[in-house]
């Protein structure tokens, strides 16, 4: 892949990742958070499921296989996205994006504990820098502590989902796994919406546009672009640029929502971005170690 195509796709996918937080924040006046998340992923999951069925991609043939996809969807879509959408009720899109994208730091910690994976010193330095950044970001925002808790939980669920996907992902065709984990997660979010909140969705031009943007661009296009990059370039080099996502989260929150760039947010975000870069710098080698050891 030439450098221009790589750069364009990298900027596009990380922009879609980061900007989705501000887009969700714009949609919350028109919908309850869990219902908006549910509709986003049910719609995206149905569209992707239609595609994989039309292309006759291989589907799971056992209940155990479908349960593994359901479990990944419970953590990756229902857990992560449910917490993100709930966090945006009380904290800014900038804060939510920064906290959520600390998940690579937690992957190192969880993988070390549960799969006995080994990481290099500079990656542990990245974890340390990231935790300092979280402390700075969280310590100065006591009034939003509930939203911060949801932001941290989203990172925890994402880290768990990453490890599950590394262990089980080889069993499934990538597009099939993505389609159905989104679909199953979306239905879990729909159930949670009726149990945990008073669901509502105001239908107008703005709400429909936001829902379609989140479903098509922030879900399907984002995933397709990121997967294409990982498959057609050095995954380690590509993953190292994941730090751009929280950067775009902060920038779009500032532009679209007029969110202030507080000193604690800027300083904490810089520590976290540096940590994400260090952790992902040699991710390919370590990902293979995690996958190999977790299958033993």
């Amino acid at each position: 892949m030439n450098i221009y195509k790589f750069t364009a796709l990298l900027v596009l996918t990380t922009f879609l990742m980061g900007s989705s937080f501000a887009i969700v924040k714009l949609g919350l006046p028109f919908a309850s958070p869990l219902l908006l998340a549910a509709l986003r992923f049910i719609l995206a999951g149905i569209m992707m499921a239609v595609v994989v069925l039309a292309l006759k991609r291989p589907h799971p043939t056992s209940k155990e296989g479908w349960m593994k996809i359901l479990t990944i969807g419970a953590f990756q879509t229902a857990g992560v996205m449910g917490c993100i959408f709930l966090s945006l009720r009380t904290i800014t899109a900038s804060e939510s994006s920064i906290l959520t994208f600390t998940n690579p730091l937690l992957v190192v910690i969880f993988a070390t504990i549960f799969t006995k994976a080994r990481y290099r010193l500079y990656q542990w330095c990245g974890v340390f820098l990231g935790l300092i950044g979280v402390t700075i970001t969280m310590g100065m925002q006591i009034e939003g502590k509930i939203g911060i808790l949801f932001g941290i939980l989203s990172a925890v669920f994402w880290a768990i989902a990453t490890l599950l996907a590394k262990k089980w992902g080889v069993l499934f065709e990538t597009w099939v796994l993505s389609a159905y984990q989104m679909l199953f997660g979306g239905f879990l979010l729909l159930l949670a919406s009726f149990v945990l909140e008073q669901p509502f969705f105001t239908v107008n031009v703005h709400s429909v546009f936001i829902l379609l943007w989140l479903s098509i661009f922030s879900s399907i296009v984002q995933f397709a672009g990121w997967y294409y990059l990982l498959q057609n370039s050095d995954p380690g080099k590509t993953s190292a640029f994941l730090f751009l996502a929280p950067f775009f989260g902060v920038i779009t929150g500032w532009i679209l929502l007029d969110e202030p760039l507080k000193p604690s947010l800027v300083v904490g975000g810089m520590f976290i971005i540096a940590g994400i870069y260090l952790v992902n710098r040699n991710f390919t080698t370590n990902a293979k170690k995690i996958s190999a050891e977790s299958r033993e």
Side-chain angles (χ1 to χ4, degrees):
M1 187 187 307
N2 66 61
I3 187 64
Y4 300 107
K5 184 176 181 180
F6 173 82
T7 302
L9 271 178
L10 185 65
V11 171
L12 174 64
T13 53
T14 53
F15 171 78
L16 290 173
M17 289 180 192
S19 64
S20 64
F21 291 82
I23 303 299
V24 170
K25 191 86 170 177
L26 289 172
L28 289 181
F30 308 110
S32 54
L34 293 179
L35 181 60
L36 181 59
L39 294 175
R40 168 187 177 179
F41 289 104
I42 289 174
L43 183 57
I46 288 174
M47 287 189 284
M48 287 196 69
V50 169
V51 172
V52 297
L53 285 169
L55 295 177
K56 297 182 179 180
R57 297 293 177 92
H59 284 56
T61 56
S62 66
K63 291 182 180 179
E64 183 182 0
W66 285 111
M67 285 302 299
K68 287 178 178 178
I69 293 179
L70 174 61
T71 302
I72 293 174
F75 283 100
Q76 180 66 61
T77 295
V80 175
M81 297 303 165
C83 286
I84 289 174
F85 279 56
L86 288 172
S87 74
L88 289 168
R89 294 187 305 175
T90 55
I91 63 176
T92 66
S94 303
E95 292 162 346
S96 182
S97 64
I98 285 177
L99 292 174
T100 297
F101 279 103
T102 59
N103 74 88
L105 314 177
L106 297 179
V107 168
V108 172
I109 297 173
F110 291 167
T112 300
I113 295 172
F114 297 111
T115 72
K116 307 208 184 306
R118 294 187 180 92
Y119 291 89
R120 298 184 179 183
L121 178 60
Y122 66 77
Q123 291 174 300
W124 280 107
C125 289
V127 173
F128 181 68
L129 287 175
L131 293 177
I132 290 176
V134 171
T135 302
I136 294 172
T137 302
M138 182 173 60
M140 299 301 290
Q141 303 295 330
I142 301 301
E143 74 277 4
K145 61 182 179 180
I146 299 300
I148 286 176
L149 176 61
F150 279 122
I152 293 173
L153 282 175
S154 69
V156 171
F157 284 133
W158 198 340
I160 294 172
T162 298
L163 295 178
L164 290 176
K166 288 182 188 304
K167 183 176 181 179
W168 296 336
V170 293
L171 304 174
F172 310 107
E173 203 275 338
T174 303
W175 295 99
V176 171
L177 173 61
S178 177
Y180 290 105
Q181 72 89 8
M182 283 197 294
L183 188 59
F184 292 157
F187 280 116
L188 289 174
L189 285 166
L190 185 63
L191 176 62
S193 174
F194 285 101
V195 173
L196 301 176
E197 65 182 10
Q198 295 181 331
F200 72 92
F201 186 87
T202 304
V203 179
N204 56 41
V205 174
H206 299 292
S207 64
V208 172
F209 176 80
I210 288 169
L211 177 60
L212 290 176
W213 181 278
L214 290 172
S215 299
I216 298 172
F217 292 100
S218 295
S219 298
I220 297 175
V221 174
Q222 170 195 302
F223 170 79
W226 187 251
Y227 178 68
Y228 182 84
L229 283 171
L230 293 177
Q231 291 294 308
N232 293 277
S233 64
D234 177 4
K237 176 182 177 182
T238 301
S239 296
F241 287 96
L242 192 62
F243 74 87
L244 288 172
F247 168 77
F248 283 126
V250 172
I251 294 300
T252 53
W254 175 53
I255 294 174
L256 297 178
L257 303 170
D258 199 27
E259 293 179 348
L261 298 178
K262 300 176 183 178
S264 61
L265 179 68
V266 174
V267 175
M270 289 177 65
F271 273 94
I272 291 170
I273 284 171
I276 293 171
Y277 177 79
L278 288 175
V279 164
N280 282 309
R281 188 176 164 191
N282 194 33
F283 194 72
T284 304
T285 300
N286 291 285
K288 290 180 180 178
K289 289 182 181 178
I290 293 173
S291 297
E293 295 183 25
S294 63
R295 291 196 294 269
E296 292 178 356

